[in-house]
Amino acid sequence: MELEDKFEKLRVVGRGAFGICWLCKKKGEENAEKVIIKMIPLHGLSTKEEQEIKGEADLLRKMKHPMIIGYYDYFTCADSIAIVMQFAEGGTLENLIRDQRGVHFTEATVLKYFTQILLGLEYMHSLNIVHRDLKTQNILLNKRRTLIKLSDFGVSKQLNTRSVASTLIGTPNYLSPEMVEGRSYNMKSDIWALGCVFYELFMLRRAFDGENLPAIVMKITQQKYAPLGNHVSKESRELVSKLLSGQEEKRPAVKEILTCPLILSYTLTVVLDTGRIMGSAPEKRRTQPQQLTMRSRTGSDSVSGSPTSSTSAFRTRNVVASHSSRSSSYSTATTVQAAGSTYNTTVRKG
Ligand SMILES: Nc1ncnc2c1ncn2[C@@H]1O[C@H](COP(=O)(O)OP(=O)(O)OP(=O)(O)O)[C@@H](O)[C@H]1O
């Protein structure tokens, strides 16, 4: 089959090391959703490599989460494999950072984006999948640039619980010390990259940068980065330094970060908001399986998504609010089931 048989090519949105990304529309449908089709040429690849790419595409199709780009389908056409995925209209986090033109985000804005990235990553890690290429270019945004979507798992690998993937892959700026030293890649290497992204959101520049590869590598191995400015709270600075710890075992797991005091209230807000998004308009979802309307607390947001992402990934089970008669404070005990993990949390206000 040729791509043009089924889809109308609108424009090229980007080029990666392995292929071209086309913005496309299904032919013959008036209001067809726009999708991205990534074309990966197969020529020169062995049958085993081709099978590996197809295996990756199958894996991507299985992932359903609001903070992960929706992968719909793949097919072989001409001499390429075409991967059909959700179109993120807001571009990349790298572009968003660049568009700030040096004006820092507020800490609350950074923490909202960061928490969403964490939730996407937590879902992947719960499936024993490491991202391996987490960077601001691979974090996409919806049209209003309020919701993030992790993407580009071209080099992700599904790990079984005992094995580690050890291939050295990645953009140099986000490589962890263990990777530059040729040691194996693991989930904690994703945490390092997460630290780099967190730093970049605060400082609008990369944590580890340099004129050339050896200069970057030197800084990574010494964990040498310019200190975070005074606009960053002590708690956030401490978290950055934990994520960018040279020793993997000192870096916290995603679940620990989601429930640490600095992040917990953001976790609850994002999970509860997403629960509300997913809980809305079930009839509409049933009749229009390709289109999902997402509403956020701050306003309405529309992104295209997979309808099943609502059910498995996020579930708010039980919210109990109890008011204290002795003070004006109140506590909210919440059991939030996010990405297969259950958080029993108590938020106190007042
Ligand atoms: N789903 C999408 N929605 C919107 N834009 C996208 C989408 N996927 C990719 N792009 C755009 O296309 C560019 C190229 O993406 P692609 O995944 O091919 O490569 P990459 O992430 O730059 O690098 P590589 O795959 O080589 O690691 C991205 O930087 C982004 O601007």
Side-chain angles (χ1 to χ4, degrees):
M1 188 185 88
E2 289 298 324
L3 178 68
E4 288 80 0
D5 294 343
K6 266 192 163 180
F7 293 93
E8 184 189 340
K9 282 178 171 172
L10 301 175
R11 64 182 161 90
V12 172
V13 293
R15 287 168 203 271
F18 305 105
I20 299 181
C21 290
W22 282 92
L23 179 64
C24 297
K25 215 169 128 178
K26 222 175 191 173
K27 276 188 174 168
E29 285 181 28
E30 188 67 16
N31 296 315
E33 177 193 357
K34 286 179 185 160
V35 292
I36 294 292
I37 301 189
K38 187 167 174 170
M39 302 288 289
I40 304 170
L42 291 173
H43 56 251
L45 294 186
S46 66
T47 318
K48 187 170 170 268
E49 284 168 326
E50 189 178 328
Q51 285 310 319
E52 272 174 12
I53 292 181
K54 288 181 179 166
E56 292 278 345
D58 275 327
L59 176 64
L60 296 176
R61 259 197 319 203
K62 280 187 214 154
M63 292 205 277
K64 307 281 184 199
H65 191 277
M67 270 87 215
I68 290 184
I69 205 84
Y71 289 89
Y72 301 143
D73 200 6
Y74 73 87
F75 53 90
T76 314
C77 64
D79 197 17
S80 296
I81 181 162
I83 299 179
V84 187
M85 64 180 116
Q86 182 180 16
F87 173 40
E89 291 181 67
T92 66
L93 194 62
E94 185 186 40
N95 293 337
L96 180 80
I97 289 171
R98 196 173 300 147
D99 291 347
Q100 286 298 109
R101 295 176 195 277
V103 178
H104 292 132
F105 293 112
T106 63
E107 184 145 354
T109 302
V110 170
L111 294 176
K112 271 183 222 164
Y113 284 126
F114 178 67
T115 305
Q116 291 184 34
I117 299 166
L118 276 170
L119 285 164
L121 202 57
E122 202 248 354
Y123 174 74
M124 292 186 68
H125 285 187
S126 71
L127 297 175
N128 283 324
I129 297 168
V130 285
H131 188 293
R132 293 179 152 261
D133 202 14
L134 192 67
K135 53 184 176 179
T136 50
Q137 298 105 294
N138 284 340
I139 300 171
L140 302 174
L141 294 151
N142 67 333
K143 193 174 180 179
R144 288 167 52 92
R145 295 175 135 184
T146 49
L147 298 171
I148 72 94
K149 304 259 165 197
L150 302 185
S151 84
D152 202 7
F153 310 94
V155 288
S156 304
K157 286 274 178 285
Q158 192 160 10
L159 301 172
N160 68 44
T161 41
R162 273 177 298 164
S163 73
V164 286
S166 58
T167 331
L168 188 66
I169 306 170
T171 307
N173 307 78
Y174 301 82
L175 287 177
S176 57
E178 62 273 15
M179 288 182 78
V180 299
E181 284 164 18
R183 284 185 278 125
S184 49
Y185 192 103
N186 57 66
M187 284 177 189
K188 292 295 179 82
S189 318
D190 275 349
I191 301 294
W192 172 277
L194 181 74
C196 295
V197 171
F198 195 26
Y199 180 98
E200 214 169 315
L201 278 167
F202 277 124
M203 298 301 283
L204 310 175
R205 60 190 166 91
R206 287 174 170 168
F208 303 99
D209 217 346
E211 300 264 297
N212 48 39
L213 184 63
I216 298 171
V217 165
M218 178 82 83
K219 288 184 184 168
I220 292 170
T221 50
Q222 296 172 351
Q223 296 97 59
K224 202 168 156 191
Y225 54 88
L228 287 148
N230 288 336
H231 63 290
V232 184
S233 70
K234 185 170 160 273
E235 290 81 5
S236 288
R237 284 184 220 189
E238 282 171 5
L239 183 53
V240 169
S241 81
K242 277 186 196 161
L243 303 181
L244 295 180
S245 167
Q247 291 160 282
E248 292 135 84
E249 61 280 3
K250 289 201 175 152
R251 292 176 216 148
V254 181
K255 257 184 206 149
E256 288 170 59
I257 311 169
L258 280 169
T259 51
C260 78
L262 175 69
I263 303 296
L264 182 60
S265 62
Y266 290 91
T267 305
L268 289 173
T269 305
V270 176
V271 171
L272 291 173
D273 273 357
T274 318
R276 192 172 306 155
I277 293 160
M278 296 309 178
S280 64
E283 290 309 316
K284 198 173 171 196
R285 282 216 310 273
R286 230 172 276 140
T287 50
Q288 292 183 311
Q290 289 303 312
Q291 201 70 33
L292 183 71
T293 301
M294 299 179 88
R295 294 197 143 266
S296 75
R297 186 172 281 174
T298 47
S300 70
D301 258 309
S302 196
V303 292
S304 318
S306 163
T308 46
S309 56
S310 60
T311 50
S312 58
F314 274 74
R315 210 170 289 135
T316 308
R317 262 215 313 231
N318 185 21
V319 180
V320 184
S322 65
H323 295 262
S324 160
S325 54
R326 276 188 296 161
S327 73
S328 60
S329 68
Y330 68 88
S331 70
T332 307
T334 310
T335 304
V336 176
Q337 205 177 3
S341 314
T342 303
Y343 302 106
N344 289 305
T345 54
T346 303
V347 182
R348 288 183 211 289
K349 291 192 180 170

